[in-house]
Amino acid sequence: MTQEHGQPGAAVGVPREMNGLAIASFVVALVGLCGPLGILGLIFGYVAKSQIKSRNNSGGGLATAGIILGWISVVAFILLIVLFAVGAVSGWMDDMNWDKDRIDY
């Protein structure tokens, strides 16, 4: 006795393949948070989104999360560089003023 499910000849719901670049995008962006690896997470995320659309893969959520984390990482890295530069210039200016105060006329 066999039991048929659904309509005869209907396609069985086969799970879609997970896109590897979507996983890589998420992992690299997460590991590279506040660092230059966020750029790589962005690139992987955008390529994964394109592949998911063309190949009908799964992993769109991971690719989107990788893109978001990548942008957060890039912005945070730029802010860290700016803050470092401002601190370095401020320290240099303090050193210049300190040296000027020590000079006897």
Side-chain angles (χ1 to χ4, degrees):
M1 179 188 278
T2 60
Q3 189 176 16
E4 292 186 25
H5 297 282
Q7 299 175 0
V12 178
V14 178
R16 296 184 299 170
E17 182 180 346
M18 176 68 74
N19 188 288
L21 276 179
I23 298 169
S25 167
F26 179 72
V27 170
V28 169
L30 190 62
V31 169
L33 208 56
C34 297
L37 280 178
I39 296 170
L40 197 56
L42 274 174
I43 294 168
F44 286 170
Y46 283 118
V47 171
K49 282 288 222 184
S50 172
Q51 287 180 355
I52 288 168
K53 185 184 282 188
S54 67
R55 299 178 185 172
N56 195 23
N57 290 130
S58 65
L62 283 176
T64 302
I67 291 169
I68 291 170
L69 287 174
W71 277 115
I72 290 171
S73 176
V74 167
V75 169
F77 187 65
I78 290 171
L79 284 175
L80 285 175
I81 290 174
V82 168
L83 289 175
F84 178 75
V86 167
V89 168
S90 176
W92 180 75
M93 294 297 287
D94 286 345
D95 286 346
M96 294 301 292
N97 289 336
W98 184 74
D99 287 342
K100 191 184 338 178
D101 293 338
R102 288 186 12 195
I103 299 174
D104 294 325
Y105 292 105

